[in-house]
Amino acid sequence: MSVDAKTVRRIAHLARIAVADEDVAPLQGELNAILAFVEQLNAVDVDGVEPMTSVTPMIMKKRVDAVTEGGRAGDIVANAPETEDGYFLVPKVVE
Amino acid sequence: MTALNELTLAEARDGLTTKQFSAREIAQAHIDALEKARVLNAYLVETPDRALKMADVSDAKIAKGEARPLEGLPLGIKDLFCTQGVHTTAGSKILEGFEPHYESNVSTQLWRDGAVMLGKLNLDEFAMGSSNETSAYGNVISPWRRNGSDAALVPGGSSGGSSAAVAAHLCLGATATDTGGSIRQPAAFTGTVGIKPTYGRCSRWGIVAYASSLDQAGPIARTTRDCAILLGSMAGHDPRDTTSVDLPVPDFEAAVARGVKGLTIGIPKEYRVDGMPAEIQKLWDQGAEWLRAAGATIKEISLPHTQYALPAYYIVAPAEASSNLARYDGVRYGLRVPGKDIAGMYENTRAAGFGPEVRRRIMIGTYVLSAGYYDAYYVRAQKIRTLIKRDFEQAYAAGVDAILTPATPSAAFGIGEKASADPVEMYLNDVFTVTVNMAGLPGISVPAGLDAQGLPLGLQLIGRPFDEETLFAASQVIEDAAGRTRLPKAWWA
């Protein structure tokens, strides 16, 4: 499988990365090189093979349903580009 | 007397406890060395004041006879580990200015055990690379050069700052991380020892995530013993990482002297790849011979799905990365670039903040996870991962204790030498290491000699799950037989 220019633009939008017009063709070439490389996986017979979900056999740990931490709003927003009163500020979403 | 920064970590520990020098003296020796070595660009942040303060605490502890396991030993920290109050970038512009308000679990345990922090080490952006050339903060220059040449070489990647700093005596040891070979390949390129422990051995809490089902932390140091000492402090259960395993941490250092008598070492025939340089084949044969001479049985084995590990990795890792890196949206950390609306702000921020390799991997990951392609790519790759793991399980079930392979398909290459339009050329560096991540196994890279141009070459040992001890034992046998690889001279100082 390979991607065309239109698909490159669609993936970029899904990934929320702006791509300049002049970057589309080179990106298309790079992505197709990777897709051509992974093509060889189609030669493997995977009938009846379970897809891996956990590399080490283990039971999912569950922690106690209790408040273990909190009251750190200041720490959490400390690295944000824009904040107000302990909230993250984003551009207007609803008109 | 050897300069304090040129001691091994174990020698420094002994010198400190017997009061031959102070923690402040060894910290200062390193601070002086790294100031002179800035041309290597190994450190992104230097923390000399913090180092001296920590060293003073160590000297007080030693004086009171209360020395902890790593008391006063100066280390470098890969800039993928969050360090409280110290700039943490993951080598990316998108995290510029990020100062975590928390400390990673692994580094917390190092400070708990008395280690001293020298600073943060350069790396490929979000650990995506094999040469440290994708860092937004410039290349790391390897301290190694080819005989009679002053061409700048890569230190490997993604832990290129860690490998270069350890090789150039700018720290006694360093933290690193390995998703497809990022500890073992740079260790091989710089004549240092690096171990990727079993998945789950070290907590991933507070480490910037790349591909969560593959990422593991581990040390790079100048000897097998030094790696064993560091891993003993880095490993251990952490309830904040649900994949961290609740198993006791063995005495890794005690395992170093065990030897390999009676062990069976597997030689996988599929690692004899087309075009492998004769020097690598010779080194591999020599490594097997050293282990045999020390009492091990050498046995040829087959790992039939080896060739599929790298292509499957380039589906699984980008898929996980595309989802992990969705958090860099200009809202919570670092960079924000305005746009015409909120989606425009996301798109502009991510376009400005991510470099080309990261963008490429996010886009491949987005594509293979998108509607209509998920089964053909992602599910198929995860099935192949099951087969890769099964290959190893069958070898171990047949009585193999560890597996010996080359660490890399070549010695270090020059900066810019692999900058072609085909990204796959760079990816092939990880062909021998990536299988280990796909199967969640431990792997160690140990220097085994120099090539005809005077550059280090490494061998890799792969172990059973949670049997790092056998790897340390076998690695020490190779280290003893090969002799320690030493940097010829400090051309930068």
Side-chain angles (χ1 to χ4, degrees):
Chain A
M1 279 183 267
S2 62
V3 293
D4 57 15
K6 195 174 148 224
T7 308
V8 171
R9 289 179 198 276
R10 187 176 62 87
I11 302 167
H13 180 65
L14 282 174
R16 296 290 186 270
I17 301 176
V19 170
D21 288 340
E22 66 270 22
D23 287 348
V24 172
L27 255 177
Q28 186 187 341
E30 292 160 14
L31 298 185
N32 282 333
I34 299 170
L35 292 173
F37 176 60
V38 304
E39 194 84 355
Q40 56 182 299
L41 296 180
N42 292 327
V44 185
D45 179 5
V46 293
D47 278 355
V49 178
E50 278 295 305
M52 182 179 284
T53 49
S54 173
V55 73
T56 35
M58 61 194 304
I59 294 161
M60 177 77 174
K61 283 177 269 185
K62 298 166 199 78
R63 70 168 175 86
V64 180
D65 185 15
V67 178
T68 53
E69 244 192 316
R72 295 184 59 182
D75 286 338
I76 288 159
V77 300
N79 278 288
E82 282 188 67
T83 62
E84 200 177 292
D85 300 331
Y87 289 91
F88 296 112
L89 273 191
V90 295
K92 200 167 173 184
V93 179
V94 182
E95 287 302 326
Chain B
M1 187 183 149
T2 312
L4 292 182
N5 57 312
E6 294 184 14
L7 296 171
T8 68
L9 184 123
E11 288 165 352
R13 180 185 61 184
D14 299 345
L16 281 165
T17 43
T18 54
K19 301 191 177 122
Q20 293 172 47
F21 45 83
S22 68
R24 181 169 259 269
E25 283 169 326
I26 194 166
Q28 191 62 54
H30 281 92
I31 292 166
D32 295 344
L34 62 91
E35 278 174 5
K36 280 190 215 129
R38 287 192 182 131
V39 63
L40 302 180
N41 200 28
Y43 279 87
L44 293 177
V45 181
E46 297 172 8
T47 55
D49 297 341
R50 179 179 292 224
L52 292 174
K53 251 186 229 157
M54 292 172 99
D56 288 344
V57 172
S58 288
D59 281 327
K61 288 262 185 197
I62 293 167
K64 279 193 275 179
E66 294 171 1
R68 298 162 288 176
L70 301 176
E71 198 68 71
L73 302 173
L75 305 179
I77 302 296
K78 185 180 184 179
D79 201 22
L80 205 63
F81 292 78
C82 288
T83 41
Q84 190 164 3
V86 179
H87 197 195
T88 300
T89 66
S92 181
K93 252 198 285 187
I94 212 156
L95 273 173
E96 190 141 34
F98 176 53
E99 280 194 4
H101 281 225
Y102 52 91
E103 184 82 22
S104 82
N105 177 270
V106 162
S107 51
T108 299
Q109 297 188 165
L110 292 171
W111 315 143
R112 171 202 69 198
D113 286 353
V116 166
M117 170 162 157
L118 290 167
K120 301 298 289 289
L121 295 161
N122 206 342
L123 70 160
D124 278 300
E125 185 177 4
F126 286 106
M128 298 183 195
S130 306
S131 64
N132 216 110
E133 291 170 293
T134 75
S135 169
Y137 303 96
N139 299 330
V140 175
I141 315 289
S142 175
W144 286 86
R145 287 173 164 180
R146 295 183 184 115
N147 291 335
S149 160
D150 60 5
L153 303 181
V154 304
S158 68
S159 309
S162 303
S163 66
V166 171
H169 308 115
L170 310 181
C171 54
L172 295 175
T175 66
T177 61
D178 190 316
T179 305
S182 284
I183 290 175
R184 292 158 288 155
Q185 184 257 16
F189 276 13
T190 56
T192 55
V193 183
I195 182 165
K196 181 203 91 75
T198 314
Y199 185 79
R201 184 62 97 177
C202 293
S203 168
R204 292 178 295 105
W205 195 86
I207 301 173
V208 176
Y210 158 24
S212 305
S213 77
L214 303 159
D215 296 343
Q216 257 300 286
I220 293 180
R222 289 196 284 272
T223 68
T224 302
R225 177 177 298 274
D226 291 358
C227 269
I229 294 169
L230 287 172
L231 186 61
S233 287
M234 293 168 73
H237 179 235
D238 174 11
R240 294 172 301 184
D241 172 2
T242 52
T243 62
S244 145
V245 174
D246 196 357
L247 281 178
V249 179
D251 184 350
F252 293 127
E253 194 181 0
V256 167
R258 260 190 209 174
V260 292
K261 207 167 171 62
L263 296 183
T264 300
I265 305 291
I267 306 288
K269 60 177 194 225
E270 289 80 7
Y271 281 62
R272 239 166 253 137
V273 294
D274 289 342
M276 186 194 290
E279 281 181 308
I280 303 273
Q281 180 65 52
K282 206 177 132 212
L283 183 87
W284 191 11
D285 295 341
Q286 176 68 71
E289 193 41 51
W290 283 328
L291 293 169
R292 192 202 314 270
T297 304
I298 306 297
K299 179 181 169 187
E300 181 165 289
I301 60 166
S302 175
L303 301 169
H305 295 91
T306 297
Q307 72 172 106
Y308 301 111
L310 195 61
Y313 173 86
Y314 274 98
I315 292 173
V316 174
E320 295 184 15
S322 74
S323 127
N324 272 327
L325 273 61
R327 74 190 69 184
Y328 305 104
D329 57 2
V331 174
R332 286 161 292 176
Y333 337 80
L335 188 71
R336 172 184 283 193
V337 179
K340 65 175 172 19
D341 53 17
I342 191 164
M345 185 276 281
Y346 295 150
E347 293 187 351
N348 292 343
T349 297
R350 290 162 64 80
F354 291 138
E357 183 60 33
V358 173
R359 175 173 73 173
R360 209 153 36 225
R361 293 197 197 185
I362 291 175
M363 287 183 67
I364 279 287
T366 304
Y367 179 67
V368 301
L369 291 177
S370 65
Y373 297 101
Y374 180 79
D375 287 330
Y377 285 113
Y378 188 71
V379 174
R380 173 170 283 267
Q382 289 290 56
K383 286 180 178 174
I384 289 166
R385 209 174 157 188
T386 299
L387 294 172
I388 292 163
K389 185 162 186 250
R390 192 177 295 166
D391 287 352
F392 282 105
E393 283 166 352
Q394 285 167 352
Y396 292 135
V400 168
D401 295 293
I403 296 166
L404 180 73
T405 78
T408 57
S410 73
F413 45 89
I415 287 175
E417 261 174 34
K418 298 211 174 187
S420 81
D422 184 355
V424 174
E425 198 193 328
M426 184 69 87
Y427 299 169
L428 291 172
N429 261 290
D430 294 332
V431 66
F432 298 139
T433 48
V434 77
T435 50
V436 175
N437 303 77
M438 295 299 269
L441 301 171
I444 193 167
S445 171
V446 57
L450 302 178
D451 75 357
Q453 297 183 298
L455 296 182
L457 294 171
L459 288 171
Q460 172 179 240
L461 288 149
I462 305 169
R464 298 167 183 263
F466 301 104
D467 186 17
E468 290 85 1
E469 291 162 279
T470 295
L471 298 187
F472 286 126
S475 175
Q476 185 64 45
V477 167
I478 292 175
E479 189 179 306
D480 288 342
R484 253 187 68 203
T485 296
R486 285 169 200 274
L487 193 64
K489 71 175 197 323
W491 49 263
W492 59 89

